[in-house]
């Protein structure tokens, strides 16, 4: 079964990835403490949806980011060393720090992080870990189980 959601494009890109879902806020600083070239296991013990799971190369589906003002730089640095998510999909409006990190990664690294926000709560309620996510340039996000 396939569902299509429409959001706002923050960082353009077209990719097809597996979903990794967090129903709570994503703390970038706490989540990327194990970030090494090509790998990252989420280290945020306060996020039971993601703790201990790899966040590299997945479509990270979340409501919003939380935490300190370093969040954007953490995302950018993750892209520099290749341990970044493959895409960021927000049910809510993206915060300026996460947007800055994703935009900087797209401009200054070869590891673009396509980012779409304002997908709505229905998106976050529907998507599950392991579902296939196709992101289109126009902000459409196609979820297939």
């Amino acid at each position: 079964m396939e569902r299509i959601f429409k959001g706002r494009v923050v960082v353009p890109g077209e990719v097809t990835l597996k979903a990794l879902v967090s129903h709570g806020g994503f703390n970038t600083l706490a989540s990327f403490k194990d970030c090494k070239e090509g790998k990252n296991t989420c280290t945020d013990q306060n996020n039971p949806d993601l703790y201990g799971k790899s966040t590299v190369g997945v479509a990270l589906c979340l409501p919003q980011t939380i935490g300190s003002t370093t969040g954007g730089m953490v995302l950018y640095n993750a892209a520099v060393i290749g341990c970044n998510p493959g895409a960021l999909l927000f049910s809510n409006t993206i915060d300026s720090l996460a947007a800055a990190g994703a935009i900087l990664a797209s401009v200054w690294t070869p590891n673009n992080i396509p980012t779409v926000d304002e997908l709505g709560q229905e998106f976050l309620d529907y998507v599950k870990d392991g579902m296939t996510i196709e992101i289109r340039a126009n902000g459409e996000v196609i979820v297939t189980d």
Side-chain angles (χ1 to χ4, degrees), residues 80-120:
V80 167
I81 61 174
C83 66
N84 54 286
L88 295 170
L89 301 175
F90 292 87
S91 60
N92 298 333
T93 301
I94 193 171
D95 65 280
S96 60
L97 299 171
I103 292 165
L104 289 173
S106 74
V107 173
W108 290 344
T109 80
N111 296 317
N112 188 41
I113 307 172
T115 303
V116 178
D117 74 347
E118 299 180 357
L119 288 162

Side-chain angles (χ1 to χ4, degrees), residues 17-18 27 40 45 47 51-52 55 60 64 67 76 79 87 97 101-102 109 111-113 118 121 129-130 141-142 144:
L17 304 164
K18 294 295 181 185
N27 186 324
N40 182 61
Q45 296 178 355
N47 190 326
Y51 181 70
T55 58
L60 192 55
Q64 72 273 331
Y76 164 72
L97 299 171
T109 80
N111 296 317
N112 188 41
I113 307 172
E118 299 180 357
Q121 186 60 42
D129 286 354
V141 175
I142 302 163
T144 309

